[in-house]
Amino acid sequence: MGQIYVVGIGPGAYEEMTIRGANVLSQCDVIAGYTVYVELVRKHFPEKEFIVTPMRREEERCELAFKEAEKGRRVALICSGDAGIYGMAGLMYEIGRKYKDISIEVVPGVTAALGGGALLGAPLVHDCCFISLSDLLTPWEKIEKRLTAAAQGDFVICLYNPSSKKREDYLSRACDILLKCKKEDTVCGLAKNIAREGEISEILTLRELRDKEADMFTTVFIGNEETLVIQGKMVTPRGYGRERNRI
Ligand code: SAH
C-alpha cells in the first residue's frame, strides 16, 4: 500500500508551515508541486527530489504524484496555504479513485485568509466566508449569487483570486455587487504576498476597494457591519461589548 501526503505549506515563510507539515516533507523521498511553491520550500529540504509542474497542469501534477507513489516512494504533493482551500486535496481524491492501492493523507496548513487576517489585525473574529473570484472553474453567475448571499448574510468575506491579467475588473465588479447591500464605508483590507518577500497590507473602505488594483498574490477582506479600525488594524468585534452592557 503506497501513501501520498497532500501538504499545505502555509502562505510562504517556512516558520508559518506547521511542524507536522515540515516533518512530513522531511520524511518524504519526492516533493511535487507548482513551480512557485517548490521554490518556497526547496532550500529547507535540499536533499529531496522535486517534481515541478507549471500552473494549470493540476491533473498532470496529481497523476505524476500517484505514479511516483506506485513505485513505492514516499511522495508529498504541496499546495500553498491549505490544500483543502482552493487547493488540490479534492482533485487528489477524485484522481485517486484510479489508484486504489495508494492512500491519501491531507496535512493542513495556514490558509491565506488566516495569514492575511493576522497581518491586518483581527478581521475574522465573527462568521466569515471564502469566495474565489476566479471563473475558470466556476461560472461567474454563481460567483455573483454567492457574493450577494454573503453580503445579505453580513458575513465577513475573504476574496481569493481577486483578479488576474485576464480578469482585471473582477474585483470592481465584485465590489459593485456588494455595494448593493453594504455601506460604502465598510472597513476592508488587502494583504499581498503574505509571509513572502514584498508583504504588504492596507486598510481601506469598500468604495476605495472598488477602484483598487489587486493581483493574484493578494487576498481581500471585506468587513461586516460592525468591523472597525482600532489603532490602524482591522477588527471585527465578537460582541463582548454588548455582553458587558447587558450585565
Ligand atoms: N490553497 C491556498 C489558496 C490558493 S488560491 C490557500 O489556502 O491559501 C490562490 C489565491 O490565494 C491567490 O490568488 C490569493 O488570493 C490567495 N493567496 C495565496 N497565498 C497568498 C499569499 N502568500 N499572499 C496573499 N494571498 C495569497
Side-chain angles (χ1 to χ4, degrees):
M1 186 88 179
Q3 172 96 41
I4 292 191
Y5 297 91
V6 187
V7 182
I9 60 166
Y14 179 71
E15 290 70 27
E16 303 212 3
M17 192 185 301
T18 66
I19 294 171
R20 180 172 161 211
N23 285 345
V24 165
L25 294 190
S26 63
Q27 282 153 23
C28 278
D29 304 308
V30 187
I31 299 176
Y34 163 51
T35 331
V36 174
Y37 310 148
V38 164
E39 289 320 314
L40 286 170
V41 300
R42 194 190 281 276
K43 66 173 180 289
H44 301 288
F45 304 94
E47 73 288 4
K48 301 296 168 188
E49 185 182 322
F50 287 92
I51 299 180
V52 182
T53 52
M55 200 157 73
R56 306 264 172 83
R57 304 278 280 277
E58 286 86 359
E59 291 179 47
E60 187 184 320
R61 205 178 303 155
C62 296
E63 294 278 359
L64 284 172
F66 279 110
K67 295 263 164 4
E68 284 301 311
E70 276 189 324
K71 294 181 201 160
R73 311 186 74 194
R74 283 167 302 180
V75 183
L77 177 75
I78 56 171
C79 294
S80 80
D82 181 84
I85 305 213
Y86 311 118
M88 307 235 294
L91 184 58
M92 283 298 281
Y93 279 105
E94 288 177 49
I95 292 181
R97 287 191 285 223
K98 277 198 305 209
Y99 297 90
K100 296 205 166 31
D101 291 334
I102 314 280
S103 72
I104 300 169
E105 185 172 323
V106 179
V107 180
V110 176
T111 187
L114 302 186
L119 198 61
L120 285 161
L124 309 180
V125 178
H126 217 291
D127 300 336
C128 64
C129 66
F130 303 159
I131 300 178
S132 167
L133 293 191
S134 169
D135 59 355
L136 281 176
L137 304 171
T138 308
W140 178 253
E141 298 70 48
K142 189 168 243 183
I143 297 172
E144 280 189 347
K145 237 184 187 173
R146 289 180 178 161
L147 287 165
T148 304
Q152 285 169 346
D154 196 30
F155 285 90
V156 174
I157 305 167
C158 299
L159 297 178
Y160 282 66
N161 300 303
S163 63
S164 71
K165 286 196 189 88
K166 284 196 193 138
R167 303 182 287 110
E168 262 179 358
D169 62 336
Y170 278 33
L171 179 58
S172 39
R173 282 163 66 180
C175 289
D176 284 339
I177 293 167
L178 298 175
L179 280 163
K180 287 184 191 156
C181 351
K182 292 178 78 74
K183 290 194 185 131
E184 290 203 334
D185 62 355
T186 302
V187 177
C188 296
L190 290 170
K192 181 171 174 178
N193 292 319
I194 303 157
R196 297 184 194 171
E197 210 182 306
E199 176 184 87
I200 42 169
S201 65
E202 183 183 344
I203 293 177
L204 66 182
T205 66
L206 183 53
R207 182 71 194 75
E208 290 164 338
L209 182 67
R210 193 205 168 276
D211 299 323
K212 197 81 192 171
E213 274 183 28
D215 61 16
M216 58 185 291
F217 299 108
T218 304
T219 301
V220 174
F221 296 74
I222 293 144
N224 69 15
E225 279 172 5
E226 291 175 74
T227 303
L228 68 165
V229 180
I230 301 180
Q231 293 177 337
K233 295 290 184 182
M234 179 176 179
V235 179
T236 302
R238 177 134 188 242
Y240 291 111
R242 267 195 306 276
E243 186 66 20
R244 267 196 305 276
N245 291 340
R246 217 175 285 147
I247 298 167

